[in-house]
Amino acid sequence: MSLLDVRKLNVIFDSNRGVTHAVKDVSFTMEAGEILGIVGESGSGKSATSLAIMGLLPSTASYYGELLFDGHDFVKMSFEELRQFKGDEVSMIFQEPMVSLNPLIRVGKQVEEMLTLHVNEPEHQNDPRLSKAERKAKVLEMFEQVELPEPEVTYKKFPHELSGGQQQRVMIAMALIGNPQLLIADEPTTALDADVQDQIIDLLIQLNKKRGTAIIFVSHDLSVIRKLCQNVLVMYHGEIVERGTVEEIFENPRDPYTKKLIAAISDERKEARPIDTENVLEVK
């Protein structure tokens, strides 16, 4: 049995602007420990697909189909039933950490909150209430795993006291502290500069190898997908237009849209033209 089996998923948004069929009969499977990339431009349906899996679509959206996670159909579950899987079995990292983190609460406490709501370790299944010292110890251990500097110091900091890369590492710690089987990362590196982006990608690869956590990585950037993922789905206008291994997609793309995306990467790599060096601003 696959870890995740998505069958004919459809997502429909109904708002004042009309009805939008954002995801159309999307089907795919992924195995435990796999890193799957979902790529496409804005509006392609990739984020709507990931939000449907998490049960986090807005009230204006409806969805149908089958979302089988380890044999359990998320579509048929009530909110309370689905809540037992969120954080424990399936977790998510969002695009902009500064928006996701609470600016008024120290980051250590925010990660620790996950342990008061979700504990996914056998010795604590009968009593999920860990002691204060145990919760803090687990948070510090997680901070070390995501390579945050000086975990004890970081634990007491507010989000604005951290760099963008450190904030995203806190978000990764929060998502992984419940030891989920599946991690969904929705463009988690978009707001980061290239060097920090590479660090986050390397971190996700390491965590995948150490923990065996399956990852769905959602992005519009094929170059990032190529570095991280094993298999790729290409989405366009709510549909999967191509799927395959990273090697197949990059070395032998078949769909015109995929070819266009890859060509865009090649264009970016071309040498930039010389620019006019005339000063536009001088400060003395």
Side-chain angles (χ1 to χ4, degrees):
M1 182 183 296
S2 300
L3 177 65
L4 179 67
D5 188 354
V6 178
R7 302 177 184 176
K8 292 189 175 297
L9 174 66
N10 287 263
V11 178
I12 299 171
F13 289 88
D14 189 355
S15 65
N16 296 332
R17 292 177 292 180
V19 176
T20 303
H21 201 156
V23 178
K24 305 167 187 175
D25 288 333
V26 163
S27 299
F28 65 90
T29 61
M30 65 180 302
E31 306 302 321
E34 179 183 345
I35 305 180
L36 173 69
I38 303 180
V39 69
E41 63 191 35
S42 179
S44 63
K46 59 189 187 302
S47 291
T49 299
S50 62
L51 290 171
I53 295 170
M54 286 296 295
L56 292 176
L57 287 166
S59 58
T60 55
S62 59
Y63 64 107
Y64 59 91
E66 292 181 277
L67 292 170
L68 301 174
F69 177 80
D70 205 17
H72 303 276
D73 190 349
F74 284 177
V75 174
K76 295 179 180 178
M77 288 185 180
S78 67
F79 176 81
E80 284 303 320
E81 289 173 328
L82 186 57
R83 185 176 178 273
Q84 301 305 311
F85 285 86
K86 294 179 186 178
D88 283 351
E89 303 292 343
V90 185
S91 198
M92 192 165 185
I93 309 169
F94 296 95
Q95 179 175 339
E96 181 52 73
M98 199 59 186
V99 175
S100 301
L101 291 169
N102 189 324
L104 302 178
I105 301 177
R106 300 178 195 277
V107 295
K109 289 295 182 183
Q110 293 190 55
V111 178
E112 191 176 307
E113 185 181 28
M114 292 295 294
L115 293 174
T116 66
L117 299 174
H118 306 283
V119 176
N120 191 36
E121 298 185 11
E123 65 267 28
H124 297 299
Q125 283 182 354
N126 295 325
D127 182 8
R129 289 169 294 186
L130 303 176
S131 70
K132 184 177 179 180
E134 287 176 313
R135 290 197 303 268
K136 182 175 181 180
K138 284 181 175 291
V139 172
L140 294 177
E141 181 183 354
M142 195 68 242
F143 279 1
E144 289 182 1
Q145 287 190 36
V146 299
E147 300 177 359
L148 276 164
E150 301 179 287
E152 281 276 5
V153 176
T154 301
Y155 182 93
K156 300 175 183 178
K157 288 187 175 182
F158 290 100
H160 72 271
E161 297 180 283
L162 304 176
S163 68
Q166 290 171 343
Q167 291 170 11
Q168 197 58 280
R169 288 170 191 268
V170 169
M171 292 298 299
I172 294 171
M174 189 180 297
L176 291 177
I177 199 163
N179 198 27
Q181 295 187 63
L182 173 62
L183 174 66
I184 301 174
D186 188 1
E187 305 221 37
T189 61
T190 300
L192 306 176
D193 64 52
D195 288 341
V196 178
Q197 184 181 83
D198 287 342
Q199 292 172 21
I200 296 298
I201 291 168
D202 290 343
L203 174 61
L204 289 173
I205 292 172
Q206 291 172 26
L207 291 171
N208 168 260
K209 290 178 179 178
K210 289 179 182 177
R211 290 168 157 255
T213 307
I215 300 173
I216 295 177
F217 194 90
V218 179
S219 180
H220 66 279
D221 189 340
L222 265 176
S223 62
V224 174
I225 293 290
R226 188 172 196 173
K227 294 175 186 176
L228 175 65
C229 301
Q230 300 152 351
N231 299 300
V232 183
L233 305 177
V234 182
M235 292 190 69
Y236 181 63
H237 285 180
E239 299 179 281
I240 296 174
V241 296
E242 189 162 357
R243 67 184 77 207
T245 64
V246 167
E247 290 77 14
E248 289 169 343
I249 294 294
F250 279 87
E251 302 302 327
N252 188 30
R254 299 183 303 277
D255 188 85
Y257 178 68
T258 310
K259 292 177 181 178
K260 180 181 175 182
L261 290 177
I262 293 175
I265 296 175
S266 300
D267 289 342
E268 289 175 1
R269 289 175 178 170
K270 291 178 182 177
E271 185 176 350
R273 291 174 298 173
I275 62 172
D276 187 353
T277 58
E278 181 183 354
N279 290 342
V280 295
L281 176 67
E282 185 174 2
V283 179
K284 292 184 179 179

